Amino acid sequence: MPMRVHEVHPALAHFPVALLPTAVAADLIGRLTNNDSLMDMGRQLMPVAAASVAATGIAGFAAQEAVKTSDVSHDLLVTHRTLNIGLLALSVGLAAIRSRSRRPSTGYLLAGLAGAALVTYSGYLGGRMVYAHGVGVTPADGIEPERTPEMPHDGFGRAARASASNVGHALRHTAQEMAQGEIVPRFQEHAPAYREPAVG
Protein backbone atom coordinates (compact mmCIF):
# COMPACT_ATOMS: atom_id res chain seq x y z
CA MET A 1 0.00 0.00 0.00
CA PRO A 2 1.51 3.38 -0.96
CA MET A 3 2.48 5.84 1.76
CA ARG A 4 2.06 9.59 1.42
CA VAL A 5 4.63 12.11 2.62
CA HIS A 6 2.45 13.31 5.52
CA GLU A 7 2.05 9.74 6.79
CA VAL A 8 5.76 9.37 7.59
CA HIS A 9 5.42 11.58 10.68
CA PRO A 10 2.85 9.46 12.55
CA ALA A 11 4.76 6.32 11.56
CA LEU A 12 7.94 7.68 13.19
CA ALA A 13 6.19 9.23 16.21
CA HIS A 14 6.03 5.89 18.01
CA PHE A 15 9.80 5.82 18.43
CA PRO A 16 10.24 8.88 20.70
CA VAL A 17 7.02 7.98 22.54
CA ALA A 18 8.56 4.60 23.39
CA LEU A 19 12.28 5.37 23.60
CA LEU A 20 12.36 8.50 25.77
CA PRO A 21 10.21 7.14 28.64
CA THR A 22 12.06 3.81 28.44
CA ALA A 23 15.45 5.54 28.75
CA VAL A 24 14.25 7.54 31.75
CA ALA A 25 12.59 4.52 33.38
CA ALA A 26 15.77 2.44 32.99
CA ASP A 27 17.83 5.18 34.61
CA LEU A 28 15.31 5.75 37.40
CA ILE A 29 14.93 2.08 38.29
CA GLY A 30 18.67 1.53 37.85
CA ARG A 31 19.49 4.33 40.26
CA LEU A 32 16.88 3.23 42.82
CA THR A 33 18.14 -0.36 42.74
CA ASN A 34 21.80 0.49 42.10
CA ASN A 35 21.67 -1.62 38.92
CA ASP A 36 24.55 -0.61 36.63
CA SER A 37 23.12 -2.53 33.65
CA LEU A 38 19.86 -0.56 33.73
CA MET A 39 21.70 2.75 34.12
CA ASP A 40 23.95 1.83 31.20
CA MET A 41 20.83 1.04 29.16
CA GLY A 42 19.33 4.42 30.02
CA ARG A 43 22.56 6.21 29.10
CA GLN A 44 22.75 4.45 25.73
CA LEU A 45 19.04 4.86 24.89
CA MET A 46 18.78 8.61 25.48
CA PRO A 47 20.83 9.64 22.38
CA VAL A 48 18.73 7.23 20.30
CA ALA A 49 15.59 8.81 21.76
CA ALA A 50 16.89 12.30 20.92
CA ALA A 51 17.69 11.22 17.35
CA SER A 52 14.17 9.79 17.01
CA VAL A 53 12.69 13.10 18.21
CA ALA A 54 14.73 14.94 15.56
CA ALA A 55 13.71 12.58 12.75
CA THR A 56 10.06 12.70 13.79
CA GLY A 57 10.22 16.51 13.96
CA ILE A 58 11.63 16.84 10.44
CA ALA A 59 8.86 14.54 9.19
CA GLY A 60 6.39 16.66 11.16
CA PHE A 61 7.47 19.81 9.35
CA ALA A 62 7.00 18.00 6.04
CA ALA A 63 3.53 16.85 7.16
CA GLN A 64 2.50 20.30 8.43
CA GLU A 65 2.44 21.75 4.93
CA ALA A 66 0.65 18.74 3.44
CA VAL A 67 -2.42 18.78 5.71
CA LYS A 68 -5.45 21.03 6.00
CA THR A 69 -6.48 22.55 9.31
CA SER A 70 -9.41 24.53 10.70
CA ASP A 71 -8.92 27.25 13.33
CA VAL A 72 -9.25 24.73 16.16
CA SER A 73 -7.03 22.07 14.61
CA HIS A 74 -4.49 24.73 13.56
CA ASP A 75 -4.15 25.71 17.21
CA LEU A 76 -3.64 22.05 18.10
CA LEU A 77 -0.99 21.75 15.37
CA VAL A 78 0.91 24.87 16.50
CA THR A 79 0.85 23.76 20.14
CA HIS A 80 1.93 20.22 19.17
CA ARG A 81 4.78 21.67 17.08
CA THR A 82 5.99 24.04 19.81
CA LEU A 83 5.95 21.31 22.46
CA ASN A 84 7.96 19.07 20.14
CA ILE A 85 10.54 21.79 19.47
CA GLY A 86 10.92 22.04 23.25
CA LEU A 87 11.08 18.25 23.50
CA LEU A 88 13.88 18.16 20.94
CA ALA A 89 15.92 20.72 22.87
CA LEU A 90 15.28 18.85 26.13
CA SER A 91 16.13 15.40 24.74
CA VAL A 92 19.35 16.62 23.09
CA GLY A 93 20.33 18.29 26.38
CA LEU A 94 19.52 15.12 28.33
CA ALA A 95 21.57 13.00 25.91
CA ALA A 96 24.55 15.37 26.22
CA ILE A 97 24.37 15.43 30.03
CA ARG A 98 23.89 11.68 30.34
CA SER A 99 26.82 10.88 28.04
CA ARG A 100 29.17 12.47 30.59
CA SER A 101 27.93 10.73 33.73
CA ARG A 102 27.94 7.15 34.95
CA ARG A 103 24.89 7.66 37.18
CA PRO A 104 21.88 9.87 36.45
CA SER A 105 21.47 12.84 38.79
CA THR A 106 18.21 13.77 40.48
CA GLY A 107 17.90 16.83 38.24
CA TYR A 108 18.43 14.70 35.16
CA LEU A 109 15.75 12.25 36.26
CA LEU A 110 13.26 15.04 37.00
CA ALA A 111 13.92 16.62 33.59
CA GLY A 112 13.60 13.18 31.99
CA LEU A 113 10.23 12.58 33.68
CA ALA A 114 9.09 15.99 32.43
CA GLY A 115 10.21 14.96 28.93
CA ALA A 116 8.27 11.69 29.20
CA ALA A 117 5.15 13.62 30.20
CA LEU A 118 5.73 16.11 27.38
CA VAL A 119 6.10 13.46 24.66
CA THR A 120 2.95 11.74 25.94
CA TYR A 121 0.86 14.92 25.94
CA SER A 122 2.17 16.04 22.57
CA GLY A 123 1.30 12.61 21.16
CA TYR A 124 -2.20 13.04 22.53
CA LEU A 125 -2.53 16.38 20.71
CA GLY A 126 -1.36 14.76 17.48
CA GLY A 127 -3.94 12.02 17.86
CA ARG A 128 -6.63 14.59 18.65
CA MET A 129 -5.88 16.42 15.38
CA VAL A 130 -6.40 13.22 13.44
CA TYR A 131 -9.24 11.51 15.27
CA ALA A 132 -11.33 14.53 16.30
CA HIS A 133 -10.64 16.88 13.36
CA GLY A 134 -9.63 14.64 10.45
CA VAL A 135 -6.29 16.39 9.90
CA GLY A 136 -4.28 14.32 7.42
CA VAL A 137 -7.24 12.05 6.63
CA THR A 138 -8.00 11.90 2.90
CA PRO A 139 -11.74 11.04 3.17
CA ALA A 140 -12.16 13.98 5.56
CA ASP A 141 -10.53 16.32 2.99
CA GLY A 142 -7.69 16.79 5.45
CA ILE A 143 -4.72 16.79 3.05
CA GLU A 144 -3.16 18.92 0.32
CA PRO A 145 -2.65 16.16 -2.31
CA GLU A 146 -0.01 18.04 -4.33
CA ARG A 147 2.14 18.43 -1.19
CA THR A 148 1.97 14.78 -0.19
CA PRO A 149 2.70 12.46 -3.13
CA GLU A 150 2.32 8.72 -2.74
CA MET A 151 5.43 6.58 -2.40
CA PRO A 152 6.50 4.66 -4.45
CA HIS A 153 3.65 5.31 -6.91
CA ASP A 154 4.65 8.93 -7.60
CA GLY A 155 8.35 8.18 -7.18
CA PHE A 156 10.66 8.64 -4.22
CA GLY A 157 12.37 11.60 -5.92
CA ARG A 158 9.11 13.54 -6.10
CA ALA A 159 8.33 12.60 -2.50
CA ALA A 160 11.78 13.78 -1.37
CA ARG A 161 11.39 17.09 -3.25
CA ALA A 162 7.90 17.62 -1.79
CA SER A 163 9.19 16.82 1.71
CA ALA A 164 12.12 19.24 1.39
CA SER A 165 9.80 21.96 0.09
CA ASN A 166 7.32 21.29 2.90
CA VAL A 167 10.05 21.49 5.56
CA GLY A 168 11.23 24.84 4.17
CA HIS A 169 7.68 26.24 4.14
CA ALA A 170 6.99 24.85 7.61
CA LEU A 171 10.12 26.45 9.09
CA ARG A 172 9.12 29.80 7.57
CA HIS A 173 5.53 29.47 8.87
CA THR A 174 6.82 28.45 12.29
CA ALA A 175 9.06 31.53 12.50
CA GLN A 176 6.22 33.80 11.33
CA GLU A 177 3.73 32.38 13.82
CA MET A 178 6.19 32.56 16.70
CA ALA A 179 7.04 36.15 15.79
CA GLN A 180 3.32 36.93 15.98
CA GLY A 181 3.14 35.38 19.46
CA GLU A 182 1.40 32.22 18.30
CA ILE A 183 3.32 29.69 20.34
CA VAL A 184 0.93 27.46 22.30
CA PRO A 185 -2.55 28.68 21.30
CA ARG A 186 -4.12 25.51 22.69
CA PHE A 187 -3.36 26.85 26.16
CA GLN A 188 -4.67 30.37 25.50
CA GLU A 189 -8.12 31.26 26.83
CA HIS A 190 -9.31 33.59 24.08
CA ALA A 191 -10.99 32.45 20.90
CA PRO A 192 -8.67 32.17 17.90
CA ALA A 193 -8.46 35.30 15.80
CA TYR A 194 -9.11 35.16 12.07
CA ARG A 195 -5.97 34.24 10.18
CA GLU A 196 -5.19 34.90 6.55
CA PRO A 197 -4.54 31.59 4.80
CA ALA A 198 -0.84 30.76 4.57
CA VAL A 199 0.60 31.39 1.13
CA GLY A 200 3.28 29.13 -0.37
Side-chain angles (χ1 to χ4, degrees):
M1 180 176 203
M3 175 182 270
R4 288 188 174 273
V5 165
H6 74 284
E7 294 169 332
V8 175
H9 173 68
L12 292 178
H14 298 84
F15 290 97
V17 169
L19 290 170
L20 196 146
T22 301
V24 174
D27 266 334
L28 179 61
I29 296 168
R31 181 165 165 189
L32 291 174
T33 62
N34 205 29
N35 185 316
D36 288 337
S37 295
L38 281 175
M39 287 186 284
D40 191 50
M41 175 183 164
R43 184 174 54 79
Q44 291 180 27
L45 269 184
M46 188 54 74
V48 179
S52 74
V53 173
T56 304
I58 292 167
F61 279 128
Q64 172 184 312
E65 299 302 305
V67 299
K68 296 179 181 177
T69 57
S70 65
D71 277 351
V72 174
S73 59
H74 178 80
D75 286 353
L76 285 169
L77 185 148
V78 170
T79 303
H80 175 72
R81 180 186 68 207
T82 301
L83 292 178
N84 287 335
I85 290 170
L87 181 65
L88 176 59
L90 177 62
S91 62
V92 168
L94 288 171
I97 290 168
R98 192 66 183 90
S99 70
R100 296 191 303 267
S101 61
R102 191 181 71 77
R103 293 175 60 86
S105 67
T106 301
Y108 171 88
L109 290 171
L110 290 174
L113 290 171
L118 186 60
V119 74
T120 302
Y121 183 70
S122 181
Y124 159 76
L125 292 181
R128 185 90 182 144
M129 282 189 284
V130 174
Y131 298 119
H133 301 283
V135 174
V137 179
T138 304
D141 193 32
I143 66 167
E144 300 283 355
E146 69 282 356
R147 289 191 171 271
T148 182
E150 289 183 348
M151 301 173 288
H153 181 265
D154 293 328
F156 289 109
R158 182 175 170 210
R161 288 190 299 276
S163 296
S165 173
N166 288 352
V167 169
H169 288 292
L171 290 171
R172 188 168 65 250
H173 291 149
T174 300
Q176 290 168 349
E177 288 162 355
M178 287 185 160
Q180 295 167 0
E182 191 176 0
I183 298 173
V184 287
R186 179 71 178 153
F187 300 141
Q188 296 170 344
E189 302 264 339
H190 61 77
Y194 173 76
R195 273 183 291 276
E196 291 291 334
V199 178

